[in-house]
Amino acid sequence: MASVAQPTAVGTRSVVSHLSRLRSPRGQADPFPVYRRLRALGPVLPTPWGGHLVTRYDLCDQVLRGRDWHTIDAEWKARQSGDRWTGFAHQELSRTLQGLNSPHHPRHRRSIGNVFDRATLAELHGTVAGSVDGLLDTLVERIRDGEEPDFGAVVGDQLPIEVIGAWLDLPRADYPLLLWLTHEHVVCQELLPTPTDLASADNAAQGLRLYFTALVHDRRLNPGNDVISRWLRVWDELESDPEAAEAAVFYLVMFLFVAAVETTATLLPTMVWLLDQHPDQRRLLLADPGLVPGAVEEVLRYDPPIHMAGRVASRDMELGGVTVTQDSMVHLMIGSANHDPDHIVEPDVFDIRRQGNQLSMHLAFGGGAHYCVGAALARQEATELLRALTVRLPGLRVSTPPTWSRRVAFRRMTGMRVREG
Ligand code: HEM
């Protein structure tokens, strides 16, 4: 294993120039050389806005699991100056699982239990398999008609929304609107959103609120055995006020939906892209379908959908030899941590045959109290899709390389056209 780089006195100017590189089209297409340089600068690097980038696996993991590191909540946002954190999208996020700290977070998280347990995944298996089949029918038909369709638009965006939409029993006609609102909303969580990004996210948050409050209210009026009705029953026990119970369920459902769609919609085309770029690995996979789960895991490690997560220090703390003062923010560079040579052997090699913790110990789904609720479902969708692709379109190739949205936290790939053979 390589040795740990010692912290150095790094100026914020150097960090800014690396962040600009990350936001360039080249940096978006391949951020890993920039991450390597950032790791060489140190494990904890200062930003001009008083925060710190955390570049190493062990420190990101430590923060994710540490009780003294808080998620970005309503109280913290209220203490900040300027309008970066005051918009509607941020107010809404502060009331979702992701924006709650103890004691609120455990209460809300416990209320949904282990949502995607074995039994639920088994129930959802038919939905996932049916959706994969239908979407690949469309993809195959369009390819055979001589088109080079955009994989993300035809399959990547559709599979997660079809699965979560069926689970929540949403009308299919609403999917395009919900997809658009989701993509617009997530941008408020970017590292450096523009005022326009924030305004679009606020509008999207309004749309999501209207849609999902109406949905939850409808289930209140017409209760059934669906997941929303079940959560309403749980919250009616926890809250004496029925409106407060409805509000709690609204935030759970709305956030779960957004979190499920935006991330998995990136994982699926990334899988196709990385296998296209590594023909040796593609050949291995085609020769041995038993490698599918390992391939999904390696894609999650190599280029996870979320490259950055934020936390704030609840008191003055030392991290990687650097003092982080109370209330300042740390940006956990998950994409960099997953390529940390002190944690993973030959991290820049895409290798679907990794075993043991070299395969599963990555931070794509976060860690600690806020560990991803839907990790098992995301894995199920990706595995089912990849298995079906190896059978139905073994010769699938990328004909037009993707472009990436100018984001550094939530990756989003568009315009990746595919063909056969
Ligand atoms: C490849 C797909 C996915 C990736 C890479 C991913 C990644 C993540 C990460 C990194 C976090 C932690 C964020 C933090 O600590 O700040 C998280 C949390 C979360 N994820 Fe996922 N996710 C994926 C799919 C899903 C799906 C399918 C669902 C739901 C069906 C989901 C629901 C959630 C929820 C509700 C949280 C918040 C948990 C909490 O704060 O307690 N995710 N996810």
Side-chain angles (χ1 to χ4, degrees):
M1 294 261 178
S3 66
V4 184
Q6 292 305 305
T8 51
V10 178
T12 56
R13 203 188 284 175
S14 165
V15 169
V16 168
S17 84
H18 283 87
L19 288 176
S20 307
R21 259 177 233 139
L22 274 184
R23 298 176 84 221
S24 70
R26 201 163 146 203
Q28 288 292 305
D30 186 11
F32 305 107
V34 184
Y35 291 162
R36 203 176 313 130
R37 276 181 242 130
L38 282 168
R39 282 194 305 274
L41 287 176
V44 182
L45 305 169
T47 67
W49 53 90
H52 289 89
L53 302 180
V54 184
T55 63
R56 292 273 171 178
Y57 180 95
D58 54 348
L59 295 181
C60 288
D61 190 48
Q62 179 185 323
V63 171
L64 284 167
R65 289 169 197 280
R67 285 169 185 270
D68 291 334
W69 296 99
H70 288 177
T71 194
I72 303 161
D73 63 15
E75 290 75 22
W76 183 87
K77 287 176 189 172
R79 289 196 293 275
Q80 309 310 304
S81 54
D83 47 14
R84 162 75 172 89
W85 303 100
T86 54
F88 187 66
H90 270 297
Q91 283 171 33
E92 290 285 87
L93 270 182
S94 307
R95 298 184 63 188
T96 67
L97 277 178
Q98 191 196 277
L100 298 176
N101 285 302
S102 198
H104 310 292
H105 180 263
R107 183 168 182 252
H108 286 248
R109 180 105 186 201
R110 266 199 308 269
S111 78
I112 57 173
N114 180 11
V115 209
F116 298 108
D117 58 7
R118 270 170 191 266
T120 311
L121 287 180
E123 271 168 38
L124 278 171
H125 181 259
T127 306
V128 175
S131 187
V132 164
D133 246 13
L135 293 170
L136 291 192
D137 284 347
T138 309
L139 189 75
V140 168
E141 195 181 301
R142 289 181 59 175
I143 290 177
R144 301 210 168 134
D145 278 353
E147 276 184 60
E148 292 187 349
D150 175 356
F151 186 85
V154 177
V155 179
D157 272 356
Q158 307 308 325
L159 180 58
I161 202 165
E162 287 197 359
V163 172
I164 209 78
W167 186 61
L168 294 172
D169 199 13
L170 308 180
R172 292 182 73 90
D174 298 344
Y175 294 172
L177 169 70
L178 289 171
L179 200 52
W180 179 73
L181 292 173
T182 300
H183 293 325
E184 295 278 299
H185 182 262
V186 77
V187 187
C188 73
Q189 295 179 68
E190 266 307 309
L191 186 64
L192 300 166
T194 63
T196 315
D197 289 338
L198 290 172
S200 314
D202 288 347
N203 280 335
Q206 297 279 7
L208 289 166
R209 166 168 269 271
L210 281 174
Y211 187 89
F212 284 104
T213 46
L215 178 75
V216 172
H217 193 62
D218 178 66
R219 299 294 157 88
R220 161 72 90 206
L221 299 178
N222 303 292
N225 207 18
D226 60 291
V227 63
I228 300 177
S229 304
R230 283 205 304 273
W231 288 352
L232 278 166
R233 285 194 282 274
V234 170
W235 274 91
D236 281 338
E237 298 282 311
L238 294 171
E239 292 280 357
S240 48
D241 173 5
E243 279 187 25
E246 259 186 64
V249 174
F250 155 71
Y251 284 111
L252 286 168
V253 174
M254 181 272 285
F255 185 69
L256 196 125
F257 177 88
V258 171
V261 170
E262 189 68 18
T263 48
T264 317
T266 294
L267 172 64
L268 305 178
T270 304
M271 211 160 66
V272 170
W273 171 241
L274 286 176
L275 286 164
D276 185 82
Q277 294 304 289
H278 298 88
D280 56 325
Q281 301 295 304
R282 202 176 64 244
R283 273 193 295 276
L284 285 171
L285 184 70
L286 290 174
D288 179 3
L291 288 171
V292 165
V296 169
E297 220 51 41
E298 180 65 346
V299 174
L300 282 162
R301 180 198 70 82
Y302 193 93
D303 192 353
I306 300 181
H307 275 215
M308 240 183 231
R311 291 291 187 272
V312 292
S314 66
R315 54 177 176 80
D316 289 355
M317 270 183 282
E318 187 266 318
L319 185 68
V322 171
T323 301
V324 180
T325 53
Q326 181 175 6
D327 251 10
S328 56
M329 201 167 165
V330 288
H331 307 279
L332 309 176
M333 302 192 68
I334 292 172
S336 168
N338 283 0
H339 283 249
D340 183 344
D342 286 322
H343 177 71
I344 194 119
V345 177
E346 297 194 287
D348 294 332
V349 174
F350 178 73
D351 179 3
I352 65 171
R353 287 173 302 173
R354 289 183 189 272
Q355 300 282 329
N357 68 3
Q358 289 292 304
L359 177 68
S360 58
M361 293 268 287
H362 56 69
L363 299 177
F365 292 115
H370 291 269
Y371 184 79
C372 178
V373 165
L377 179 62
R379 284 186 171 114
Q380 173 163 305
E381 288 178 32
T383 306
E384 198 68 33
L385 176 64
L386 192 53
R387 260 199 204 111
L389 279 173
T390 57
V391 175
R392 294 189 59 184
L393 277 168
L396 185 74
R397 298 305 310 268
V398 172
S399 51
T400 312
T403 49
W404 280 263
S405 301
R406 203 160 170 256
R407 303 172 174 186
V408 294
F410 284 76
R411 301 274 276 163
R412 174 147 170 77
M413 192 188 256
T414 49
M416 185 178 77
R417 301 205 164 270
V418 291
R419 61 179 164 77
E420 200 177 13

